[in-house]
Amino acid sequence: MWPDEFAFLLDGAEEVDLHIPPVAHEDGSPGKATSRKALKARISQQDFEKIWPLAEARYRLDGKFSGKAITLIANNPHYQKWHPADGGAVENISDSGHKYTTNYVIVHFLMDDVREPVEA
């Protein structure tokens, strides 16, 4: 299960389709293009560093995405186009009046249906 402490990271996530170009097979025959469902989220660099250890593993979801599972794309060469990328920065002023910057990262999570075996 996706850790409850990070559930808020998916609140503003957008469902997208990743269009993966064909990859030629070793025998030279052309591959075929595929499409995968994904969640695209803009999260703070600090939060990304906390979820980095969860990358490349599959987690089931609850709530709005119940019945789905996600995998954070981090370094899979097939999904290089969707590796974490710069999401910009926002300047803020704290309650005490000090200026600070929050850096953001755009991340993608592969998303698929969870299939449960049904007992007869």
Side-chain angles (χ1 to χ4, degrees), residues 7 10-15 38-39 59-70 111-114:
L10 303 177
D11 288 344
E14 167 189 4
E15 288 189 51
L39 289 178
Y59 294 91
R60 293 173 185 234
L61 298 176
D62 280 332
K64 174 175 137 179
F65 297 110
S66 184
K68 303 285 185 186
I70 58 171
M111 184 171 66
D112 58 294
D113 292 326
V114 176

Side-chain angles (χ1 to χ4, degrees), residues 34-86:
T34 57
S35 183
R36 294 282 311 261
K37 294 280 186 194
L39 289 178
K40 177 181 176 182
R42 182 177 183 241
I43 63 175
S44 72
Q45 177 71 36
Q46 184 178 12
D47 288 332
F48 176 69
E49 290 169 6
K50 290 177 186 174
I51 66 169
W52 175 255
L54 306 178
E56 305 297 338
R58 188 170 182 255
Y59 294 91
R60 293 173 185 234
L61 298 176
D62 280 332
K64 174 175 137 179
F65 297 110
S66 184
K68 303 285 185 186
I70 58 171
T71 304
L72 174 62
I73 298 172
N75 55 17
N76 185 320
H78 296 292
Y79 301 103
Q80 186 173 7
K81 185 176 176 181
W82 300 282
H83 285 184
D86 181 22

Side-chain angles (χ1 to χ4, degrees), residues 93-114:
I93 299 176
S94 68
D95 292 340
S96 63
H98 289 86
K99 291 183 180 181
Y100 68 96
T101 303
T102 303
N103 295 311
Y104 289 90
V105 177
I106 303 294
V107 296
H108 288 82
F109 298 87
L110 293 177
M111 184 171 66
D112 58 294
D113 292 326
V114 176

